[in-house]
C-alpha cells in the first residue's frame, strides 16, 4: 500500500486500498509446502462479533479473513503467495471501525514455508511472532523477471545461495521446461538465467526454486506498436447489441484461445439457471463475435474465456446493465427504459460557460438517510427528485432545498456500479462513497428499488436525471477511471489479463492512486473504453458534466479525446477533476498526465484548486494550521491571486474549481473548529461565511460540499470529527435537516443563498479568460495585514454594474477601507448577502471583524449621516459651527423673551 503524494484525500483514497476485494470472506486451506500465516487476535472483552482482519501481500489487493475458534483462540488464516516478504494487516469491522488506526506490516522475509503465528492484542500496535514446528526459514526467491533483449531471467533472492546456482532454478511454461544455457551471479543476491530460446510473451511461465513455483514477470507486449496496430479495434459495437430479432455479442480478447457466451435466466451469481452456451468465433483486431436469434431483452449473460489453458467467467466490460452485485450482464432494450418525454429532455444550463456553474457535491444516500428528511425513497435515485418534502417543522428538505439554494449543477458521488456495498444485503447498514468501480457503464444497484432486475436501475437513474432537469438542475457524474475495485477480478483484466492496469517491471500493479492499481489509459483499447464510456453516459443518460477522480493518473491525450468526442454532440457538458501529481508507472513513453501543472495541455478541462482551499482554511495535511479566514498570516497575496482565477498553475479562470470543502477530509466548519480551539462559535461561523464569500465571488467555478450551507458537521460517536467518512454510518454522513429549525443554521443557509444569487446576477464574477480578468480586476495595494481588497471596472464581461469593490477582513477587529470616488451600494456584508441593497456608502467603508463586504457602484448619492459629515466633510464641520454660533443664541434669546412675557 502506498500513500498518496499530494492532497490529504490521497490518504482518503489510500483507505480504499483496503476495500479492493470481493465482499465475501476468504477461506484458506493449507497445501503441502505452503507458507501459512495465522493471525491470533485477543480482545479483553471477549466480543469478536463483526471483527475480522484485512490482509494483503505488499503490492497486491487485500481481502477480509474471518477469525475462527482454534483451541479457544480466535485465528485468521492466510496462505501466502511464494516470494512474499511483507503482509499488511488491519483488524476491523465490516463498517471499517479499526482496532488500531493505522496500516501495519508483518515481515516474513525469512519464511520459506510452513506456518508462522502472529499474535495481536486489541488496541495495541505491533505484534509478536512465533514459528510452528513445520516452519522453514532461510533464503527464498522474491522476484523473477524476464529481460527480452538479453534473453535472460533475472532472479532476486533474500540472500546468497550456497553451492552451484545452476542446479537451483528451472523455468517452466505450458509446454514444459525451458532450456537454460547459463547461470551467472549478479549483484545483491541476484542471479541471471541465460535462456537457449526466447520466451513467448503471450504465454505465462514460472520459476521453480526448491520445489516452490514463482510467477515470472514478462515484459508487456500490450503497449508495443506491433500489438496496437494489429489489435486496436475501431468499431462501435463492443458488448451486446440488441434488436427484437437478434442480439450480437462482440468482445475484445486478443490473447484468448476460446470464448463462449453463457446465457442465464437471472442475474444472481451462483444460481444454476444456465439457458445456453454459444461458442464465439474469432473476428477482426482481436475481437470475438457470436449471434443469437430472437428477442433476448432481459436475458443475463457472461463470457467464459480460456487463456493459457485456464478458463474464467467474466462479466462484459461493455455491459449496459447487470444483475445483483454486477456479476452477470444483461441484454437490454435501452429505449424501453426511457421515461415519458425523454426525447425532449435537455440540459437546463445549455449555452452557459464553465464559469456560470455553481456546483453542489452530494452523495445519493446522504440527502435522504436522516429521519428528518421526510423523503420516502431513502438512499435511492428516486429520493433525489421527491418534491414537497419537509422536516417536521415544515422546513423544505431534499430537492426543494437544493432548488431554493440556487445551485446550477448537482455533482453526484459515484453512481456507477461499485463494489463496496453488497446489494444482496441492503436490509443491513452499509455505506460507501463508491470510489471502487466494478462496472463502469452500469448504474449502482443499491441506489435502485430493485438491484436484482437490471432494467430497474437504468430506468430509475434516467427518471432522476429528468426530474432534476425539470427543476433547472444539471447533473454531474463523478467518474473513477484511474483505478478499479480489484484489478485481478476486474472483468476487462479477466478477459485480457493485466491489459487495463499498469504493471511495473517486477510484475506488480502500479498504485499511484493508493488503491492497489492504476489504469493504463495510454493503451489504445483502454483509451477507447474510457472515451466510449463517458460518451455513453452523456448520450444515454443525458449527463451534463463529469468530475474525474485522480485525473492526474490519466494521460492528457485521453482526456482531450474524451472532451472532444462528448462535445461533438453535447457542447455544454463540463469537465473537471483532481489534477494532483502522483507517482505511476506509464507503459509507454511520450505521454503527459492530466495534472494541474499540465493544465494548459487540456484547455477544456478544469481542476480543483487546492491553493485557494488551503489558503482559506489551512494546510490539508495539518488540520491544526490556520488559513486566511481563521487568522493565519501571509495569505493575502495567495487569496488575491486565487480570487483572480490565477493560481500559480492556472492560466484561465475556466480551469479552476474554487472550493473550501468537499467530501474528502473535514467539513469546512469542522476544519475551522479544530484549528481554532479558543474561538467562539460566532467567530467560527463568521470564518465559514468569509470562506464562502471569497470563493463564491472569485473568478472561476465555485463548488461546495452538500450541507456546507448549513454548517454540516461529521461528528463521530466519540464526539470527534470524522475526516474520512467514506464508509462511516448514516449517523455521520447524513444531512441533518432539523438543524435548519435553528436560527443559527438558517442564517448561514440564507447567506449562501444570497451569495449564489449575487454571483448569478453579475457576469463580472464569471469571466472566462485570463486576459479579461487582468484588464478589469486589480488588487488594491496598501491594505493592513489580514485584509484583501480588489476593484472591478464597470462593464466587465457585459455586466451592467459601473464598478465593484471587494473587501475581505480576516482580523478580529473592524477595519476602515477607503472607497473609490462615488457612491457604493453594499450587497454583501458579514451578516447578509443577496441582490438587495443593504446600505449605500461613500468615502470609507467599515469592514466588520471576520467578514466580507462586496459593493457595487451606485447611480445615486450616498446619504450622509452627521457622524460621517463631521468625520469626512469640511463643509459639514462649518455647518455645525454656524448652527452652534448663530442659531443657539437666537433660540436662547427667544426662550428669555417668552419667560418675561409669562411674568408680565
Amino acid at each position: 500500500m502506498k500513500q498518496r503524494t499530494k492532497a490529504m484525500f490521497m490518504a482518503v483514497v489510500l483507505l480504499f486500498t483496503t476495500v479492493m476485494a470481493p465482499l465475501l470472506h476468504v477461506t484458506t486451506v493449507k497445501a503441502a509446502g505452503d507458507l501459512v500465516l495465522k493471525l491470533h487476535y485477543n480482545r479483553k472483552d471477549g466480543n469478536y462479533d463483526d471483527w475480522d482482519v484485512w490482509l494483503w501481500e505488499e503490492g497486491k489487493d487485500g481481502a477480509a479473513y474471518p477469525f475462527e475458534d482454534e483451541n479457544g483462540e480466535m485465528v485468521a488464516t492466510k496462505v501466502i503467495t511464494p516470494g512474499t516478504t511483507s503482509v499488511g494487516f488491519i483488524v476491523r469491522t465490516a463498517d471499517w471501525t479499526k482496532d488500531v488506526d493505522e496500516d501495519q506490516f508483518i515481515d516474513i522475509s525469512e519464511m520459506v514455508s510452513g506456518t508462522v503465528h502472529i499474535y495481536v492484542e486489541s488496541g495495541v500496535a505491533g505484534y509478536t511472532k512465533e514459528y510452528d514446528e513445520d516452519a522453514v526459514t532461510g533464503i527464498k526467491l522474491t522476484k523473477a523477471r524476464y529481460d527480452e533483449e538479453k534473453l535472460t531471467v533475472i532472479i532476486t533472492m533474500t540472500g546468497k545461495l550456497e553451492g552451484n546456482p545452476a542446479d537451483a532454478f528451472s523455468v517452466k511454461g505450458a509446454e514444459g521446461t525451458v532450456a537454460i544455457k547459463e547461470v551467472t551471479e549478479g549483484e545483491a543476491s541476484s542471479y541471471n538465467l541465460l535462456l537457449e530460446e526466447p520466451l513467448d510473451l503471450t504465454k505465462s511461465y514460472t520459476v521453480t526454486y526448491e520445489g516452490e513455483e514463482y510467477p515470472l514477470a514478462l515484459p508487456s507486449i500490450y503497449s508495443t506498436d506491433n500489438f496496437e496496430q494489429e489489435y486496436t479495434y475501431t468499431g462501435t459495437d463492443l458488448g451486446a447489441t440488441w434488436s427484437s430479432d437478434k442480439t450480437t455479442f462482440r468482445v475484445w480478447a486478443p490473447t484468448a484461445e476460446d470464448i463462449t457466451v453463457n446465457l442465464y435466466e437471472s442475474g444472481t451469481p451462483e444460481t444454476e439457471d444456465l439457458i445456453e452456451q454459444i461458442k464465439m468465433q474469432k473476428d477482426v483486431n482481436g475481437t470475438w463475435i457470436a449471434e443469437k436469434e430472437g428477442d433476448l431483452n432481459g436475458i443475463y449473460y457472461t463470457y467464459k474465456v480460456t487463456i493459457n489453458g485456464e478458463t474464467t467467467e467474466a462479466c462484459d466490460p461493455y455491459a449496459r446493465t447487470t444483475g445483483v452485485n454486477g456479476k452477470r450482464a444483461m441484454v437490454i432494450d435501452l429505449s424501453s427504459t426511457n421515461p415519458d418525454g425523454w426525447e425532449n429532455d435537455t440540459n437546463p444550463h445549455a449555452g452557459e460557460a464553465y464559469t456560470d456553474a455553481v456546483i453542489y457535491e452530494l452523495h445519493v444516500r446522504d440527502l435522504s438517510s436522516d429521519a428528518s428528511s421526510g423523503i420516502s425513497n431513502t438512499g435511492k435515485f428516486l429520493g433525489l427528485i421527491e418534491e414537497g418534502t419537509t422536516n417536521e417543522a415544515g422546513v423544505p428538505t431534499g430537492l426543494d432545498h437544493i432548488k431554493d439554494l440556487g445551485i446550477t449543477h448537482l455533482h453526484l458521488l459515484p453512481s456507477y456500479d461499485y463494489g463496496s456495498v453488497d446489494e444482496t444485503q441492503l436490509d443491513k447498514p452499509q455505506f460507501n462513497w463508491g470510489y471502487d468501480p466494478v462496472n463502469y457503464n452500469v448504474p449502482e444497484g443499491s441506489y435502485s428499488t430493485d438491484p436484482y432486475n437490471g432494467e430497474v436501475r437504468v430506468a430509475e437513474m434516467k427518471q432522476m436525471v429528468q426530474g432534476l432537469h425539470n427543476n433547472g438542475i444539471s447533473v454531474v457524474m463523478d467518474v473513477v477511471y484511474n483505478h478499479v475495485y480489484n484489478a485481478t477480478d476486474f472483468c476487462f483484466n479477466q478477459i485480457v489479463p493485466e491489459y487495463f492496469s499498469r504493471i511495473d517491471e517486477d510484475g506488480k500493479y502500479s498504485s499511484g492512486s493508493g488503491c492497489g492499481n492504476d489504469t493504463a489509459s495510454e493503451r489504445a483499447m483502454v483509451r477507447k473504453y474510457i472515451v466510449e464510456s463517458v460518451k455513453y453516459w452523456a448520450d444515454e443518460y443525458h449527463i451534463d458534466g463529469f468530475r474525474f477522480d485522480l485525473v492526474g493518473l490519466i494521460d492528457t491525450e485521453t482526456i482531450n479525446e474524451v472532451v472532444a468526442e462528448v462535445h461533438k454532440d453535447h457542447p455544454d457538458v463540463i469537465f473537471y477533476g483532481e489534477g494532483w501529481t502522483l507517482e505511476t508507472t506509464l507503459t509507454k513513453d511520450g505521454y503527459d498526465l492530466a495534472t494541474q501543472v499540465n493544465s494548459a495541455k487540456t484547455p477544456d478541462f478544469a481542476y480543483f484548486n487546492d491553493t485557494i482551499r488551503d489558503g482559506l482554511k489551512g494546510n490539508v495535511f495539518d488540520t491544526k494550521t490556520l488559513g486566511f479566514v481563521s487568522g493565519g498570516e501571509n495569505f493575502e497575496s495567495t487569496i488575491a491571486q486565487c480570487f483572480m482565477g490565477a493560481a500559480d498553475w492556472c492560466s484561465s479562470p475556466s480551469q479552476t474549481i474554487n472550493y473550501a470543502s468537499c467530501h474528502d477530509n473535514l467539513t469546512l466548519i469542522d476544519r475551522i473548529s479544530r484549528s481554532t480551539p479558543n474561538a467562539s462559535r460566532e467567530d467560527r461561523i463568521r470564518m465559514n461565511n468569509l470562506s464562502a464569500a471569497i470563493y463564491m465571488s472569485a473568478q472561476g467555478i465555485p463548488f461546495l460540499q452538500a450541507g456546507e450551507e448549513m454548517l454540516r458537521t461529521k461528528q463521530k460517536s466519540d464526539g470527534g470529527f470524522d475526516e474520512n467518512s467514506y464508509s462511516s454510518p448514516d449517523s455521520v454522513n447524513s444531512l441533518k435537516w432539523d438543524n435548519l429549525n435553528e436560527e443559527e443554521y438558517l442564517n448561514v443557509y440564507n447567506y449562501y443563498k444570497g451569495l449564489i444569487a449575487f454571483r448569478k446576477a453579475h457576469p463580472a464574477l464569471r469571466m472566462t479568460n485570463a486576459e479579461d480578468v487582468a484588464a478589469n480586476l486589480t488588487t488594491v495595494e496598501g491594505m493592513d495585514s489580514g485584509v484583501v481588497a480588489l476593484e472591478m471596472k464597470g462593464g466587465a464581461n457585459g455586466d451592467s454594474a459601473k464598478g465593484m469593490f471587494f473587501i475581505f477582513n480576516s482580523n478580529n477587529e473592524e477595519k476602515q477601507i477607503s472607497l473609490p470616488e462615488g457612491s457604493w451600494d453594499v450587497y454583501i456584508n458579514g451578516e447578509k448577502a443577496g441582490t438587495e441593497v443593504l446600505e449605500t456608502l461613500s468615502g470609507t467603508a467599515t469592514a466588520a471583524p471576520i467578514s466580507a463586504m462586496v459593493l457595487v457602484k451606485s447611480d445615486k448619492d450616498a446619504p450622509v449621516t452627521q457622524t460621517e459629515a463631521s468625520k469626512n466633510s469640511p463643509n459639514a464641520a462649518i455647518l455645525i459651527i454656524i448652527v452652534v454660533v448663530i442659531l443657539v443664541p437666537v433660540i436662547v434669546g427667544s426662550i428669555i423673551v417668552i419667560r418675561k412675557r409669562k411674568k408680565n
Side-chain angles (χ1 to χ4, degrees), residues 76-98:
T77 303
K78 174 177 172 57
V79 176
I80 305 300
T81 303
T84 302
T85 59
S86 180
V87 177
F89 75 95
I90 300 171
V91 178
R92 46 129 240 182
T93 60
D95 66 355
W96 284 94
T97 299
K98 299 180 183 181

Side-chain angles (χ1 to χ4, degrees), residues 589-817:
D589 295 328
Y591 283 86
D592 295 312
L593 296 174
T595 59
Q596 285 178 339
V597 295
N598 288 330
S599 61
K601 297 179 181 180
T602 55
D604 295 318
F605 194 96
Y607 295 88
F608 281 95
N609 186 347
D610 56 338
T611 310
I612 193 171
R613 179 198 67 197
D614 290 355
L616 289 172
K617 63 183 182 179
N619 188 285
V620 76
F621 290 107
D622 185 351
T623 58
K624 294 183 179 180
T625 59
L626 301 175
F628 175 76
V629 303
S630 47
E633 297 180 353
N634 302 318
F635 284 103
E636 293 83 1
S637 62
T638 297
I639 297 301
Q641 187 178 11
C642 288
F643 189 84
M644 299 177 74
D648 289 341
W649 54 268
C650 182
S651 59
S652 168
S654 294
Q655 286 193 277
T656 173
I657 300 291
N658 297 326
Y659 71 117
S661 75
C662 67
H663 68 278
D664 283 320
N665 315 122
L666 295 170
T667 68
L668 178 55
I669 193 64
D670 288 351
R671 175 62 175 82
I672 290 170
S673 297
R674 181 173 287 183
S675 62
T676 59
N678 298 319
S680 66
R681 173 71 170 176
E682 292 77 12
D683 279 351
R684 289 172 180 169
I685 293 174
R686 292 188 185 100
M687 296 171 192
N688 184 99
N689 289 354
L690 177 56
S691 296
I694 293 171
Y695 77 75
M696 278 290 185
S697 54
Q699 299 297 318
I701 307 160
F703 172 106
L704 69 152
Q705 178 184 189
E708 186 187 300
E709 77 282 6
M710 52 184 184
L711 302 175
R712 182 181 188 176
T713 183
K714 294 183 180 179
Q715 197 164 31
K716 298 184 291 187
S717 58
D718 62 5
F721 298 133
D722 194 335
E723 55 188 298
N724 183 26
S725 67
Y726 77 99
S727 64
S728 298
D730 290 339
S731 58
V732 172
N733 281 304
S734 62
L735 296 178
K736 312 301 191 296
W737 297 104
D738 279 349
N739 285 346
L740 287 173
N741 298 343
E742 300 179 27
E743 184 177 4
E744 174 183 83
Y745 296 92
L746 188 59
N747 287 342
V748 174
Y749 169 75
N750 285 327
Y751 193 77
Y752 273 72
K753 179 180 175 181
L755 292 173
I756 293 171
F758 183 81
R759 181 179 183 86
K760 286 182 170 182
H762 289 283
L765 305 183
R766 312 194 304 271
M767 289 183 273
T768 60
N769 61 77
E771 293 76 19
D772 285 350
V773 175
N776 289 283
L777 183 61
T778 56
T779 302
V780 179
E781 302 297 334
M783 292 294 106
D784 290 347
S785 176
V787 177
V788 174
L790 303 100
E791 183 177 3
M792 179 86 73
K793 290 181 180 179
N797 200 31
D799 201 312
S800 60
K802 295 182 179 181
M804 299 178 113
F805 200 80
F806 307 88
I807 304 169
F808 304 116
N809 176 26
S810 64
N811 295 284
N812 283 311
E813 58 187 22
E814 291 182 348
K815 289 292 180 178
Q816 305 295 319
I817 310 297

